Amino acid sequence: MNTQAQPQAGHHDDAMLNTNYLKAGSGWKSWAFTLDHKRIGIMYLVFVLAAFLTGGIFALLVRTELASQGHTIVSGPTYNKLFTLHGAIMVFLFIIPSVPASLGNFILPMQLGARDVAFPKINLLSFYIYLVGATFALVSIGYGSVDTGWTFYTPYSLHDPEAATKVLYMTAAVFVLGFSSILTGLNFLVTIHTLRAPGLTWTRLPLFIWGMYATSIMQVLATPVLAITLLMLIFERVFGLGIFDPKLGGDPILFQHFFWFYSHPAVYIMIVPGMAIVSELIATFSRRVIFGYFAVAMSSLALALVGFLVWAHHMFTSGMSEYANMLFSALTFLVAIPSGVKVFNWTATLYKGSISFAPPMLYALAFLFLFTIGGLTGLFLGTLNVDIHLHDTYFVVAHFHYVMMGGTVIGFIGGILYWWPKITGKMYNFTSASVGAWLTFIGFNVTFLSQFVMGSRGMPRRYYDYLPEFEQLHRVSTLGSYILAVGLFTTAGTLIQSLARGRAAGRNPWGSVALEWQTQTPPVFQNFEETPIVTRGPYDYHLATDEELREDLYAVDPAK
Amino acid sequence: MQMPVALSAYATDVDKSYYIIYWLSVVLFIGIIGAATYFCLAYKRKAGVRAEPTGHNNILELSWTVAPVFILAYLFWIGWKGYVDMSIVPPNAIEVRGRAFQWGWDFEYPNGAHTPDLKAPVGKPVKLILSSNDVLHAFFIPQLRIKRDTVPGMYVSLWFEADKEGDADIFCAEYCGGKGEGTAAIGHWAMISKVHILSVADYDKFILEGGGAKPGESVPDWGKRLYVEKNCAGCHSLDGAVGAGPSWKGIFGRTGVMTAGPDIVADENYIRESILEPQAHIVKGFGPVMPSFKGILQDKEIDAIISFMKTLK
Ligand SMILES: [Cu+2]
Ligand SMILES: [Cu+2]
């Protein structure tokens, strides 16, 4: 099955297929019932960004409460809900779907030279499943919200019948969201296998595609485990089966095994797409093939594989046997190898490149900086005796924020800025985008470097109040979070300004040789007027003519 | 990113691992980011200059895949070795039981004494047998670099041998919820206690005297001491001021209005029930935040508290 699927055939005439996808159909129905992967990607983008904003507001409330000792703005139990919502929203509604569902949906078929994903209807279905899941989450918040932390650890999450009902709603939300994730993963796998344009061999696949491929495998294999776990939790609650609750003869540690069996791979579901974007950015803005292309591609798959074997490193203090701890510590160190390989290869790609510092590249470089810190601090946590001290302290909080926010989110924003002109047809202001990038970078480091310090000194996480010796560092961290917020809002403002008044972007503003830049801006409904025939790799800048490398930031023809 | 003061040889050992990783990370970080920065400056885009085509360097690629394996194996080894030392409890260790509950700690010594803060002798191994009355908690002493989750329905153990006298903080490191409003709220964050590392003589004295009224102490006085030591004072005042819980002023024999059911006169049985099963009857105007002291307060101690209450007119 090497030909292209023609999902819209019959519904649209040829002229329609070759008009700007934003103008192919108007009115809300043309969005709500669209099967176009680009529009679905945009709808996802809007919702995941809304989730990011919501989760971010909760984060700011948490940081504000911690700005001084004792009661600052909310009471202890409210604080517990705030950090739970921050975590649950960021993980399940934002980061997990973020890159694959939004940019993945938009860009993946274009990079393949395909007209759409393999199953456009399932694609729309998965979007609506996401909305249903999000609604459940809102209902749970409306009922007064959960306070279990995003990990829902038993028996606390089953402890009090009143709270447990809210936990049910929240877990139901996560359960439903899981299906959206599985369907997207499945769709991408089939698309990558069957809809590559002629000439697009596996060794010519963009690294973004390789990343999406690895992510999809994890989504399809790991998410069902989460669904099973949550189902067991729901059954335990509703029918009183003793699975996790010691009062009913269950085992609370079993829940942790199940939970992390999904949630560790989920960490890679989150970070691999970020890495995938960064590979694209570094190649494009250094104008070079990624050094060790094959190693970078395979390291995504290696992460997907090893990611399944290390879940219990979240449980070194939980009372597992010493030998289990030994095994999981050893396996955890294996993860460092593919991550290290990526970092080394990205760095080497810069060597003798032709490096531009356009805003997307600033994010790629920020990623390199922050992810390196995130990765190196992981070494502390994999080392058994050191982890015993650092576990469940702010050190861990800082570590995973460096990876998830400093990695994935920074990569995601970089990706948005990179593909923005293609998606919207508009250019944005470079100065304010760069200011946003710098503020985000500085604010981020101020927020979380101080948390490493607190954590190594023993400040436990999820504390509403703390001992006086930590106040200074908490203040610094809160200040950093405000700088970070200003940076993010600056970026958001830049993009909104671009939508409202940005100049029309050119076809290939970055002078990229990758396939998705070769079509119109914004792309036509069927992506390419004719099925492209791929004759070289996505980063073969050395084979490109000077004309191909010209950066047409702005469309010459304003009528376009 | 300095570690806190180390109060044991084990803690010093953990610090060794910590600083090895720390300096290794610093070197790697400077290497990677230094190289990236240099490349960014040296190969900034210039008009007319194209990037050089990416070549292959198999030796380089192989070496940065294989070299880390040795470093990682070494880190694994030091971590595991330190951890094993920690897992083997010396046979002569003093056994102390630690119970975690929402939201506090209770430590029980070989002589039957109970305290909410931990007392331990310097220079002797102490084995803690930990359990939980309700949900997960985790026993954490940063200065000793030890941490262990307490799991309901299961005993876990942990040991330490402090080599300096002094006080250190005990935290709960596993999230365990919270309740209540405003200043009366209590929860995970408030499960902070202390470990007092005493000289052997002081510890022996504590063990000889503990577990009952001190010599020469009357029963109501003992009850008053328990009121402070068991932290009833955190929620109950003696002067009529309303805190998280009702004041104990004139408590004995007074008629209390409950949120549900008939009014109750505070006699011995009711007070005993209030202490062991606080949620059975809730005094109107208060939340269900009082922890149960079942297994923490002994019968004799409850009697002593009741006789102390009788003195509060
Ligand atoms: Cu993990
Ligand atoms: Cu606790």
Side-chain angles (χ1 to χ4, degrees), chain A residues 40-52 89-106 130 180-181 184 188 208 212 215 219 266 269-274 277 404 407-413 415-416 419:
Chain A
I40 295 174
I42 290 185
M43 293 195 290
Y44 262 121
L45 187 63
V46 170
F47 280 92
V48 296
L49 289 179
F52 184 43
I89 292 176
M90 286 300 197
V91 170
F92 296 113
L93 287 169
F94 170 58
I95 289 207
I96 290 182
S98 65
V99 176
S102 64
L103 294 178
N105 249 322
F106 198 105
Y130 172 82
S180 161
S181 184
T184 305
F188 283 4
F208 183 69
M212 286 297 120
T215 308
Q219 283 178 315
I269 294 180
M270 303 183 233
I271 187 67
V272 170
I277 291 179
M404 303 282 75
T408 310
V409 178
I410 292 294
F412 183 42
I413 301 176
I416 294 176
W419 283 303

Side-chain angles (χ1 to χ4, degrees), chain A residues 260 263-264 267 310-311 313-314:
Chain A
W260 290 112
S263 294
H264 187 83
V267 169
V310 301
W311 75 91
H313 64 201
H314 299 268

